[in-house]
Amino acid sequence: MRDGLKPELIERVLGAKPKYTLPELEEKFPPRDLPAGAFVTRFAPSPTGFMHIGGLYQVLINSKLAQQTNGVFMLRIEDTDTKREVKDAVQIIIDSLKSFGLSYNNDEKYGPYYQSQRKDIYHSVAADLLARGLAYPCFLTAADMERIRAEQSAAGFPTGIYGEFARDRDLTESEIIAHLDNGEVPSIRLYSNGNPERRIFCKDAVRGSIGFPENNEDLVLIKSNDGLPTYHFAHLCDDHFMRTTHVVRGAEWLSSLPLHYQLFQMMGWTPPMYIHTSTLDTIDKDTGKQRKLSKRHDPESNVANLLADGWPVMAVLEYLFNIIASGYEEAKLKGAVKSIWDYEFRPKKIPMSGALFDMKKLEWWAKENIAQMSVDELVANVVAWAQKYADSMRKEQISDLQYLRNVLSIERDNPKRIRKDFITWRQTLSEVEYFWDKFFVPNREYEFNADVLNAFLSTFNIADDKDTWWNKIVEIANRFGIKNGDVAMNLRVALTGRTNTPDLYSIMQVMGKDRVIERVQGAIK
RNA sequence: GGCCCCAUCGUCUAAUGGUUAGGACACCACCCUUUCAAGGUGAGAAUCCCGGUUCGAGUCCGGGUGGGGCUGCCA
């Protein structure tokens, strides 16, 4: 093994003396005191100003895994890309989790939870690697690397900094000092001892053992521009010292698994169990091919849009959870479990192939979800949504809470016959908007039978019970020699402007005598 | 190009190597009905292809094909 750098040089290379030794870090972040079998998981987003539905999917897996094993679920912010910082991005993530009722437990003992605040830890680990000759300062510039890449492509070699292309891999002490004296700031690269001729076997909880060629690339561990770690190095340090037991991440990380194994091996640490999730996909309208849901082309992939449209949060969660644990749906339908939090799932069953995001199925979960709510819950949800997202016109519908409650109570009394045409809070309010005079649009197309409507008005009594009311309708139908349904339809369109509505008797009871008379008279003219 | 992952009805999926390949959503038909939603009943619909192992393959192995990912001082 080659010699490592001397402490004085490490200090110069890193810009400061490392704050901790490895044993100090081990002591500072001891193994967690948790029951046997408890999972320690985390959601580790980079703050891009956007919460993707795929992110929510991963949060759900992570938090369920922790919840069902009495473990810990953390939120760690991967803000190591200073070039891409977005204002308020972290708040968007935190708010999204809160909206969905997904909580995390960031015990400060294992913090901080912003990677930008963990520099001391990364540098201390890097110092150890430097001292052992397993990392080195690299003074290659962007232009240097661009040139190397071009040469490699031209020659048909794999691109990257490895082997003979790693110019600074074996710099002498005096050469390093010369660069530093010259004012150059190095990045810290892995001194890879991997040999692509050999294979390394890595484990994924759902796919099992996967063989890869060993990694021989000298990947960057610490970036030169800001001294922050790359994802790979941060993952190594953080998931070790936060004592993460299970890393749930997207399948795009599968290819870096051999590198991550290599890093853990070099440190003598046990790698976590990895769970690589598949993507949530859609069919591209232009190409007709399946592809990952993207934030640019698919507005429904933005959790903020889902919330703004008023999807019931539990329905979204249940939809996603049923992808993760396909047995959930049946268990719920049979009444074996009440919610996703009662259903225990096995990580091995998480699907490996990409799932198409199915709006129709989401709608079904939403309808079922709303149908199961009490009227009070329904009203509370609609009101909460409107207060936050509705325009002032729409807010009229929540100004009289008792009236709103009466409207939303229609066809909810019989558990077997609960209306299932409410999908989102936004759509619910527009579905019932004809109850408000401001929104009511008289139907100009429908050909009313004025005689029938006059006959209705002459016998109308709001105090009639349902049977009495219906008998009067039948009587009118007989008198005019038309079908009962025709009379009802005249009335329906007069009252609501629509041809499809819930039960008319209920509608009239809610609307009240004056409004009924006014609208029927309006239709007659 | 190289490396890696994946592949069951339209969609999400179930199936210790032995079932008539099961369920849900969607779709269709019929019933109920003051329209719609709901509810009830029913129908159609799948193991990517070719080999091999086996008494027996959706399941195991090999090779194709198709889709996806990685190949950044982004995560």
Side-chain angles (χ1 to χ4, degrees):
Chain A
M1 192 163 119
R2 72 183 206 122
D3 291 336
L5 266 45
K6 294 199 185 79
E8 307 78 48
L9 194 49
I10 291 174
E11 192 176 327
R12 273 201 76 186
V13 156
L14 289 174
K17 190 168 184 282
K19 187 164 175 187
Y20 306 104
T21 62
L22 247 29
E24 281 167 355
L25 284 172
E26 289 293 333
E27 198 186 325
K28 186 170 161 59
F29 304 111
R32 291 178 185 257
D33 184 21
L34 291 170
F39 285 26
V40 178
T41 62
R42 83 294 190 283
F43 178 53
S46 53
T48 59
F50 186 93
M51 179 77 179
H52 192 273
I53 185 83
L56 190 61
Y57 177 75
Q58 282 183 22
V59 172
L60 190 53
I61 298 176
N62 275 300
S63 86
K64 256 307 280 184
L65 247 20
Q67 176 258 348
Q68 71 183 18
T69 60
N70 296 310
V72 175
F73 166 58
M74 309 172 273
L75 172 65
R76 183 173 76 219
I77 304 300
E78 309 230 319
D79 55 348
T80 56
D81 189 354
T82 36
K83 282 171 260 161
R84 286 201 200 179
E85 248 170 72
V86 177
K87 199 170 160 283
D88 298 334
V90 174
Q91 203 52 45
I92 288 171
I93 293 164
I94 292 172
D95 289 347
S96 301
L97 296 197
K98 200 172 172 198
S99 300
F100 283 91
L102 297 162
S103 57
Y104 49 89
N105 174 8
N106 283 5
D107 183 345
E108 63 182 54
K109 186 172 179 51
Y110 291 93
Y113 290 85
Y114 284 72
Q115 290 184 329
S116 57
Q117 296 167 18
R118 297 171 64 82
K119 230 173 177 172
D120 288 338
I121 299 169
Y122 307 124
H123 282 219
S124 299
V125 176
D128 175 73
L129 252 16
L130 251 9
R132 291 192 287 137
L134 293 170
Y136 64 92
C138 172
F139 297 91
L140 249 21
T141 63
D144 290 335
M145 287 184 290
E146 207 174 303
R147 201 195 63 244
I148 293 170
R149 174 177 311 280
E151 283 169 10
Q152 288 169 327
S153 317
F157 293 129
T159 54
I161 304 303
Y162 59 91
E164 56 188 298
F165 299 104
R167 187 193 70 188
D168 296 352
R169 198 172 143 88
D170 290 302
L171 250 31
T172 62
E173 200 169 294
S174 55
E175 285 171 323
I176 293 170
I177 290 169
H179 274 111
L180 292 171
D181 286 345
N182 197 27
E184 295 172 48
V185 180
S187 64
I188 308 300
R189 280 186 187 273
L190 167 68
Y191 191 95
S192 179
N193 290 310
N195 173 3
E197 305 290 307
R198 287 197 304 256
R199 285 180 82 74
I200 178 171
F201 291 89
C202 309
K203 247 181 108 179
D204 172 276
V206 330
R207 281 162 254 254
S209 177
I210 306 168
F212 297 86
E214 283 183 1
N215 167 66
N216 69 335
E217 274 196 72
D218 288 352
L219 281 118
V220 171
L221 268 18
I222 303 280
K223 297 184 273 188
S224 62
N225 59 340
D226 49 21
L228 286 172
T230 56
Y231 169 85
H232 310 291
F233 194 57
H235 157 55
L236 169 79
C237 300
D238 293 343
D239 285 315
H240 176 70
F241 288 118
M242 289 180 171
R243 307 296 172 177
T244 308
T245 62
H246 290 71
V247 168
V248 180
R249 49 158 50 161
E252 68 269 23
W253 292 110
L254 214 42
S255 338
S256 28
L257 205 42
L259 167 66
H260 298 161
Y261 261 68
Q262 183 182 18
L263 293 173
F264 275 91
Q265 236 161 48
M266 285 169 42
M267 294 308 300
W269 297 339
T270 309
M273 178 58 82
Y274 291 93
I275 297 171
H276 292 95
T277 63
S278 53
T279 50
L280 257 23
D281 299 347
T282 189
I283 298 290
D284 189 282
K285 283 175 194 68
D286 299 329
T287 65
K289 285 183 178 172
Q290 185 163 340
R291 63 163 170 76
K292 192 169 149 184
L293 227 32
S294 95
K295 62 176 174 184
R296 276 191 37 225
H297 303 294
D298 312 297
E300 73 270 29
S301 72
N302 187 346
V303 166
N305 289 144
L306 250 26
L307 258 12
D309 283 338
W311 288 91
V313 292
M314 194 43 79
V316 175
L317 255 24
E318 287 191 296
Y319 168 72
L320 292 175
F321 188 64
N322 194 57
I323 294 177
I324 299 163
S326 64
Y328 172 66
E329 184 178 335
E330 203 183 332
K332 173 95 187 278
L333 255 30
K334 281 199 306 208
V337 296
K338 274 174 65 192
S339 86
I340 60 176
W341 304 109
D342 303 336
Y343 186 87
E344 194 163 325
F345 82 104
R346 298 187 297 286
K348 266 190 172 47
K349 300 287 282 181
I350 295 171
M352 300 188 264
S353 47
L356 238 33
F357 190 75
D358 186 350
M359 267 297 177
K360 283 285 180 197
K361 189 103 188 204
L362 210 210
E363 285 184 9
W364 177 78
W365 280 107
K367 288 176 181 180
E368 291 293 325
N369 218 268
I370 294 175
Q372 281 165 20
M373 281 178 194
S374 67
V375 178
D376 288 330
E377 273 179 281
L378 173 56
V379 171
N381 274 294
V382 165
V383 169
W385 174 83
Q387 280 167 347
K388 187 160 181 194
Y389 296 104
D391 57 34
S392 55
M393 172 97 167
R394 192 54 83 192
K395 280 202 178 93
E396 292 287 326
Q397 288 179 276
I398 62 165
S399 61
D400 181 345
L401 252 31
Q402 187 55 48
Y403 188 61
L404 175 67
R405 192 181 191 286
N406 291 344
V407 169
L408 295 180
S409 298
I410 292 174
E411 289 190 358
R412 286 201 145 250
D413 35 10
N414 180 353
K416 281 278 173 196
R417 292 279 168 123
I418 293 182
R419 65 187 297 187
K420 289 191 179 164
D421 50 350
F422 295 152
I423 304 170
T424 67
W425 311 134
R426 180 193 295 286
Q427 172 265 351
T428 296
L429 280 176
S430 79
E431 187 66 33
V432 298
E433 65 186 8
Y434 54 81
F435 279 94
W436 285 263
D437 296 332
K438 264 194 176 152
F439 288 95
F440 172 64
V441 182
N443 193 314
R444 309 248 173 247
E445 261 104 79
Y446 189 80
E447 289 182 27
F448 291 104
N449 185 328
D451 296 335
V452 165
L453 290 177
N454 274 315
F456 166 79
L457 279 182
S458 66
T459 65
F460 173 58
N461 181 351
I462 191 76
D464 286 345
D465 63 22
K466 189 165 182 181
D467 286 342
T468 308
W469 166 78
W470 181 245
N471 288 338
K472 287 179 176 177
I473 299 287
V474 173
E475 190 276 320
I476 293 168
N478 289 340
R479 195 187 331 155
F480 286 87
I482 59 177
K483 288 190 229 157
N484 301 343
D486 291 336
V487 180
M489 189 55 81
N490 266 277
L491 195 50
R492 168 171 295 109
V493 178
L495 290 173
T496 68
R498 302 185 183 185
T499 52
N500 301 335
T501 73
D503 170 60
L504 274 179
Y505 179 77
S506 310
I507 288 177
M508 292 191 295
Q509 290 300 310
V510 170
M511 281 184 170
K513 177 186 164 197
D514 294 343
R515 192 178 272 118
V516 169
I517 292 173
E518 186 187 321
R519 290 196 182 178
V520 174
Q521 281 174 342
I524 291 170
K525 278 182 209 146

